[in-house]
Amino acid sequence: MKKKLVLIGNGMAGVWAVEQLLKLAPNQYEVTVFGSEPHPNYNRILLSSVLAGDAKIDDIVINDWNWYKENGVTLHAGHTVTKIDTERKSVSTASGITAEYDDLIIATGSLPFMLPLPGADKEGVIAFRDINDCNTMIETAKNYKKAIVIGGGLLGLEAARGLLNLNMDVSVVHIFKDLMERQLDQTASQMLRKELEKQGMNFLLEKNTDSILGKKRVTGVKFKDGSVVDADLVVMAVGIKPNVQLAKDSGLEVNRGIVVNDYLETSIPHVYSVGECAEHRGIAYGLVAPLYEQGNELAKRLAGVPSAGYQGSVVSTKLKVSGVDVFSAGQFTDAEDTASVRVQDDFEGVYKKVVIKDGKVIGAVLFGDTSDGSRLFKMIREGEDVTGKEKQILLGEGSGGGAKSGVDYVASMADSEIVCGCNGVSKGTILNAISEKGCTSVNEIKACTKASGSCGGCKPLVADLLALALGADGVQTVKEGICGCTEHSRDEVVEAIRSMRLTSSKEVMNVLEWKTEEGCSKCRPALNYYLGMAWPEEHEEERESRFVNERNHANIQKDGTYSVVPRIYGGVTSPAELKRIAEVAEKFDVPMVKFTGGQRLDLLGVKKEDLPKMWAELDMPSGYAYGKALRTVKTCVGSTFCRFGTQDSIQMGIDLEKRFERLNTPAKVKLAVSGCPRNCAESTIKDFGVIAIDGGWELYVGGNGGVKVRASELLCKVKTEEEVQEWAGAFLQYYREAAKWNERTSEWVSRVGLESIKEALASEEERKALNERIDKTLSLTTDPWKEIIEKDELRATFEELQAPALETVAD
C-alpha cells in the first residue's frame, strides 16, 4: 500500500522534489499537491520574459495539467491550505478540502516585501511576484504611461525592462548609488546602468521613498528629499520574505524561515520543508539553485536513499535583460586579505573580476561575457587551489598555464551538477537525452530537456556536452536565427520578404512560421526595418515596434524628461532661428540648452506632454537625434572662410543633409564634410566622410567615434559635387539593403570587407540603380514632428491620460 505524501505549494521547489522522488521511488507514494494559484507548476523566474513579451504564460509552464494526470498526482490548484493538524497528520483548505498524510512537505515559498509607506495601499501599487502581478502590469500599460519601479535589484530591473517593452516610461528608484549592489561591484554596476539607460530606462539613485501620492489611485511618488515624480503604476521590488505563517500557526519552529536540518526535516516528525520558506543553518535562500539542491536531498530522504544530506549552497546570480549578460557568485568585493584579477574592455562592454583568498577563488563578477560563469562557479564551490596560476583563470594559456577546454571542463563535472540553472537541468539529464533520445544538437537538447531554453547562458556548456558525448563530428550544427523566435537568418528573412512580397511583420511571422505569435523585442523592430527598406511604398510603419525614443521622436533622459534637437543643416543657423529657439526654450522653461557634438542645439528637460507644442512653435524639422537614421552632417567652414579650405564644405554638407534627412537606416548614421585634409570636421570617424582635396574629394566609409572607435577607410576619390552625391547615395542604399538591423557601418564594413563594397559599387549602372531606390524611399518620407502636430490621433499619445479605473485581475 502506498504511503500518502501531501505537498503544500505548487511552486518550483516542492514540485521539483516530487519529480525527483517519482524518479527514485515511483510507487512509494500517493501524492497530493495544493497550490494557491490557479495554474499548473510554472517557472517563476521567467515571469520577466512574459512581461517583456518574449514568452507566453504557457511557455513558462514546467509541468502542464497532463503531467499531474500521467504521474498520478492529485492537484488542487487555486486552493490554499489554511490548517495543518500535525497530531492527526492532515491538512485542510479554506474551501473545505481535507487530506491526510504520512509525510508532508511545506513549500509555501516567499511573499514580496511591501514597503510600509503611506499610500502603499492605493490602486496601482503592486509587487512583481506571480502571474497575477504580471497580468496587472500588462493591463495597466494599456491605459497608463508612467511606471515607477522601487528597487534596483535583480527583480526590479527585470520588471522595469518588461514595462519598457509595454511602452511605458519607466524610472527605477533605488536607495543605493549602485544597482544590484548585492551582486555586483561598482564597476559592473555602472556598466549595467549605462547599458540600461541606452535602452530607455531612467534611474533615480540614492532616493529614499517617503510616500505614495494620489487619492484612490497612485499619481506619484514623493521622496524624503521633498522631490516628487509622477507615476501611474508603482511596482515594489524591494525583496522577499519567507511565507511561514501557516508553519508558525501549526507549531513548527520558525525563525526567519521554517527551521530544517540537513535532511530538510522540520521540528515536527514527518513534516519537511524546502525552498524559499525553509531556513537551513540560518540561511533562507532566495535563488533557484539551492531550491533544486534541497529538492534533490529531500527526494532521497523520502525514497530511503542514503545521502550525506544538504550541506548548504554557494549561490550565483545570472541576469539577462534585453541582451545584457551579468554573472555574480560568492564574495566579489575586495578586502585586505584578498587579491583580484580584473579584465575590463570598455569598447566591447566586457568586465571580468575574480577574487582570490588563500590561493582559492572565492568570488567572481562578469559583465558582458558570462561564458566563464559556470567554470568559475565550479571553482568557487570546490575550493580549487589556483596558487601560481591566478592570471590563467581569466587570461588563459598565454598568462602562464594551460586552461581547460570546454569539453575537458564538462567532463570533470559530476552528473548531478546543474548545467541549466533556469530550468534545473543537470549534466546527467542532458547526457541521458543524448544517449537515450538521440539528441545531436543544442536545439534538440532544448526541446527534450528545456536546457538553454530560457536565458541561453548555458548553450556553450550544452554544446560541450554534445561534443563530449558524440565527438565533434557527431554534433549537428543548427544555425541561429535573428532571434529566438525563428531559425531564419537575416538574409533568409529579407529574401522571403522580397520574393513573397510580404509587407507586414504578421505576414512574415506567419509565413516563416515564427515560434512566437507576437515576436520579441529583437525581431519586431528588425522586421519593421527590413519591410520598410524592401517595400517603402507598401509597408505601413509599425510604430509599436520602435523603441521608446523613436516612438516619441525625442530622446528620453534619466529623469524621465526628453531632449529636443531640431535639424540645423550643416551646422549653419541664423539669428532669426536662434531667437526662435531661445523664445521656445524660455516659454517651456527648458532647464538647459546645449550645443551638441553634431553642431546643433539640444533643448534638455522637456516634458513629454509639451513635445508637440514645442515642435509646433519651433517650426523646424526633426533632427532625428533619437533614431536609427541620418543624424547630422558636420562641416567645417571650408573655402568660404578658411584660408586652407580647398572646397565649399559647408554647402556640400547642407546639400547632403537636405537630401538624406529622414532616411531610416539599420543603425544611426553620421556624415561629415571637411574643406581640406586638415579634417576639422572629423570626417575620418564618420559613417560617410568627405574630405576636400585639390581638384576633388576623398570619400571615406565605416568610421566611428563612439564607444568602438574605428577610423574610416578610403572608398574612392571623385572630382565633382555630383559624384559625391552619387557615391553617397549608392553607399548608403547598399548599406541599407545589405546590413543587419542595428549594425553600424563600422561593424558592417569590418564584417564584409571594404573590397566587397567597392566591388558592389564599381558599376555606374548599379550606383544609378541604388540612387534611384534611395531617392524613391526619401520621396515618401515626411517630417514626424509635423505629422504629429497635424494628426489628432498621433498627438493624443503625448497627452496626459485621464484613464478609467483599472479592472482588478482575478486571482
Side-chain angles (χ1 to χ4, degrees):
M1 183 176 175
K2 289 184 178 180
K3 295 168 71 177
K4 294 178 180 176
L5 175 68
V6 169
L7 166 64
I8 304 175
N10 190 30
M12 297 169 69
V15 176
W16 175 268
V18 169
E19 279 189 83
Q20 305 316 305
L21 175 61
L22 291 174
K23 292 174 184 173
L24 294 172
N27 298 312
Q28 188 169 329
Y29 283 96
E30 179 184 308
V31 182
T32 300
V33 178
F34 290 90
S36 295
E37 292 187 72
H39 308 286
N41 171 240
Y42 66 89
N43 191 334
R44 195 179 301 279
I45 63 174
L46 295 181
L47 282 173
S48 56
S49 299
V50 175
L51 196 59
D54 295 336
K56 303 287 185 187
I57 296 292
D58 289 346
D59 297 331
I60 67 171
V61 168
I62 300 172
N63 298 297
D64 61 17
W65 301 110
N66 287 331
W67 178 86
Y68 296 90
K69 292 178 184 173
E70 290 167 359
N71 287 280
V73 175
T74 301
L75 171 63
H76 297 288
H79 293 271
T80 302
V81 173
T82 54
K83 183 180 178 183
I84 303 172
D85 187 333
T86 55
E87 291 187 0
R88 295 185 177 180
K89 300 177 75 172
S90 67
V91 303
S92 304
T93 70
S95 56
I97 300 174
T98 298
E100 296 180 343
Y101 67 80
D102 294 304
D103 291 301
L104 172 67
I105 304 173
I106 301 176
T108 45
S110 61
L111 297 171
F113 183 74
M114 299 294 283
L115 294 171
L117 299 171
D121 57 346
K122 295 187 187 304
E123 191 178 325
V125 181
I126 63 171
F128 180 37
R129 185 62 187 156
D130 55 28
I131 288 176
N132 188 39
D133 296 327
C134 210
N135 285 334
T136 300
M137 284 188 256
I138 292 170
E139 289 299 313
T140 302
K142 294 176 181 175
N143 294 314
Y144 296 91
K145 290 292 181 187
K146 295 182 178 177
I148 296 287
V149 177
I150 301 178
L154 182 67
L155 193 63
L157 296 180
E158 291 189 339
R161 179 61 251 181
L163 291 166
L164 269 185
N165 275 32
L166 294 172
N167 299 331
M168 297 197 80
D169 297 338
V170 184
S171 295
V172 176
V173 176
H174 198 42
I175 195 169
F176 301 107
K177 67 177 181 179
D178 295 316
L179 300 173
M180 290 183 65
E181 75 286 343
R182 295 173 66 181
Q183 291 89 18
L184 304 180
D185 67 357
Q186 192 171 46
T187 303
S189 176
Q190 289 177 353
M191 293 176 81
L192 176 64
R193 177 174 58 79
K194 288 178 182 176
E195 181 60 37
L196 295 177
E197 282 176 344
K198 288 180 188 174
Q199 297 180 17
M201 212 177 287
N202 309 310
F203 292 100
L204 302 173
L205 302 177
E206 297 183 88
K207 287 282 192 181
N208 198 348
T209 308
D210 176 79
S211 54
I212 308 295
L213 306 178
K215 293 182 179 177
K216 182 180 177 185
R217 184 179 180 83
V218 59
T219 59
V221 173
K222 183 179 180 182
F223 300 105
K224 296 286 187 186
D225 61 9
S227 60
V228 171
V229 293
D230 295 338
D232 303 312
L233 173 72
V234 172
V235 179
M236 288 197 191
V238 292
I240 57 175
K241 55 184 179 183
N243 184 4
V244 297
Q245 194 58 51
L246 177 65
K248 192 179 287 184
D249 293 344
S250 305
L252 277 71
E253 182 184 355
V254 173
N255 288 326
R256 184 166 183 268
I258 302 168
V259 177
V260 296
N261 62 17
D262 290 355
Y263 297 101
L264 291 311
E265 296 166 330
T266 69
S267 57
I268 293 181
H270 299 288
V271 179
Y272 304 83
S273 183
V274 290
E276 293 173 338
C277 64
E279 178 182 318
H280 174 260
R281 298 184 187 178
I283 300 175
Y285 294 94
L287 296 172
V288 67
L291 166 161
Y292 289 136
E293 291 169 2
Q294 291 175 1
N296 292 338
E297 289 301 326
L298 177 55
K300 290 176 187 172
R301 188 65 170 175
L302 292 173
V305 176
S307 79
Y310 177 60
Q311 301 300 311
S313 299
V314 178
V315 297
S316 65
T317 301
K318 183 175 285 187
L319 168 67
K320 186 161 189 169
V321 178
S322 197
V324 181
D325 290 308
V326 174
F327 171 86
S328 165
Q331 180 187 324
F332 56 84
T333 54
D334 297 308
E336 288 187 4
D337 56 351
T338 66
S340 59
V341 180
R342 293 179 175 83
V343 173
Q344 184 171 352
D345 183 346
D346 290 335
F347 298 103
E348 295 293 334
V350 173
Y351 172 69
K352 300 182 180 184
K353 173 185 174 184
V354 172
V355 180
I356 299 165
K357 180 181 177 182
D358 299 332
K360 296 178 180 177
V361 177
I362 61 169
V365 174
L366 306 174
F367 180 92
D369 176 4
T370 57
S371 58
D372 292 326
S374 298
R375 180 174 60 84
L376 293 171
F377 188 49
K378 184 170 185 286
M379 296 173 83
I380 295 169
R381 290 173 57 145
E382 296 183 351
E384 181 179 335
D385 192 337
V386 296
T387 303
K389 47 185 180 180
E390 291 86 352
K391 291 183 181 178
Q392 178 189 328
I393 297 168
L394 284 184
L395 304 178
E397 239 175 285
S399 59
K404 276 185 178 178
S405 71
V407 174
D408 289 340
Y409 167 66
V410 295
S412 69
M413 293 173 68
D415 281 1
S416 60
E417 279 194 56
I418 297 295
V419 173
C420 175
C422 295
N423 295 298
V425 185
S426 68
K427 171 188 171 181
T429 302
I430 294 172
L431 291 178
N432 283 339
I434 296 170
S435 62
E436 296 177 7
K437 298 181 181 177
C439 294
T440 59
S441 70
V442 173
N443 277 3
E444 287 179 354
I445 293 291
K446 181 166 63 178
C448 279
T449 68
K450 297 183 182 178
S452 79
S454 297
C455 79
C458 63
K459 275 184 183 177
L461 287 180
V462 175
D464 289 336
L465 281 171
L466 281 160
L468 174 69
L470 304 174
D473 295 338
V475 180
Q476 192 180 6
T477 303
V478 179
K479 65 182 180 181
E480 292 283 334
I482 61 173
C483 68
C485 302
T486 179
E487 291 176 0
H488 291 288
S489 66
R490 178 265 179 209
D491 290 346
E492 289 170 336
V493 170
V494 172
E495 171 58 24
I497 288 172
R498 291 186 188 281
S499 63
M500 291 187 268
R501 209 172 182 81
L502 307 176
T503 59
S504 73
S505 294
K506 281 285 183 190
E507 279 187 311
V508 175
M509 292 177 188
N510 288 334
V511 171
L512 297 184
E513 298 180 334
W514 238 241
K515 297 173 187 173
T516 53
E517 188 179 350
E518 300 294 333
C520 69
S521 58
K522 288 183 181 177
C523 63
R524 287 196 301 266
L527 289 181
N528 186 46
Y529 169 75
Y530 295 142
L531 288 160
M533 176 272 293
W535 306 114
E537 292 180 273
E538 294 86 348
H539 171 61
E540 187 174 339
E541 168 72 9
E542 296 166 4
R543 184 173 178 272
E544 67 280 5
S545 294
R546 296 273 190 179
F547 289 141
V548 59
N549 287 346
E550 292 184 302
R551 290 199 303 273
N552 294 325
H553 296 281
N555 268 329
I556 193 166
Q557 306 298 302
K558 67 178 184 179
D559 62 354
T561 62
Y562 288 80
S563 79
V564 171
V565 182
R567 179 74 69 187
I568 295 178
Y569 300 100
V572 178
T573 184
S574 66
E577 206 166 59
L578 289 172
K579 283 181 184 175
R580 191 159 67 247
I581 292 172
E583 288 167 359
V584 169
E586 283 189 339
K587 181 172 181 176
F588 289 91
D589 294 325
V590 173
M592 179 177 285
V593 180
K594 186 183 181 305
F595 286 103
T596 73
Q599 300 179 332
R600 309 195 284 189
L601 283 167
D602 191 348
L603 285 73
L604 292 146
V606 181
K607 295 177 183 175
K608 183 179 177 182
E609 54 267 30
D610 286 341
L611 289 172
K613 291 175 283 188
M614 178 178 280
W615 298 336
E617 300 227 8
L618 280 171
D619 193 24
M620 295 172 72
S622 167
Y624 275 79
Y626 46 81
K628 299 185 189 305
L630 175 73
R631 296 286 182 88
T632 63
V633 181
K634 190 173 183 178
T635 67
C636 67
V637 296
S639 60
T640 310
F641 290 97
C642 180
R643 59 195 173 95
F644 299 110
T646 61
Q647 306 280 358
D648 188 350
S649 54
I650 291 178
Q651 191 58 53
M652 174 60 75
I654 291 173
D655 292 344
L656 286 168
E657 188 158 2
K658 286 192 172 179
R659 181 183 175 198
F660 296 119
E661 66 173 322
R662 302 194 292 272
L663 180 68
N664 280 320
T665 44
K668 64 183 177 183
V669 165
K670 296 178 180 179
L671 275 58
V673 184
S674 298
C676 77
R678 285 174 174 77
N679 190 22
C680 291
E682 301 168 334
S683 300
T684 49
I685 53 169
K686 301 299 180 188
D687 297 278
F688 188 86
V690 182
I691 297 179
I693 56 176
D694 284 335
W697 307 82
E698 291 178 341
L699 308 182
Y700 293 84
V701 297
N704 186 17
V707 174
K708 300 175 183 176
V709 178
R710 183 182 192 273
S712 57
E713 298 179 67
L714 180 63
L715 177 66
C716 63
K717 295 181 183 181
V718 299
K719 292 181 179 178
T720 67
E721 287 82 354
E722 290 77 15
E723 287 176 300
V724 174
Q725 289 282 356
E726 176 193 348
W727 280 87
F731 172 79
L732 289 174
Q733 182 63 14
Y734 185 54
Y735 165 58
R736 294 184 75 237
E737 295 179 358
K740 300 174 185 175
W741 177 80
N742 207 23
E743 185 177 36
R744 294 291 302 269
T745 63
S746 55
E747 298 164 327
W748 174 60
V749 172
S750 295
R751 179 169 63 86
V752 303
L754 180 65
E755 290 307 312
S756 73
I757 296 170
K758 284 183 174 179
E759 187 177 341
L761 304 184
S763 159
E764 184 177 351
E765 186 178 351
E766 182 58 28
R767 293 199 301 276
K768 182 181 177 184
L770 288 164
N771 271 283
E772 286 175 353
R773 293 201 289 276
I774 199 170
D775 287 338
K776 179 63 182 177
T777 296
L778 289 164
S779 72
L780 298 168
T781 64
T782 55
D783 184 76
W785 289 0
K786 189 175 181 182
E787 190 177 17
I788 291 167
I789 292 166
E790 293 175 347
K791 293 184 178 178
D792 292 342
E793 67 274 20
L794 295 178
R795 198 169 59 252
T797 62
F798 290 83
E799 295 169 356
E800 288 191 293
L801 291 170
Q802 300 298 319
L806 183 67
E807 291 182 6
T808 301
V809 179
D811 282 326

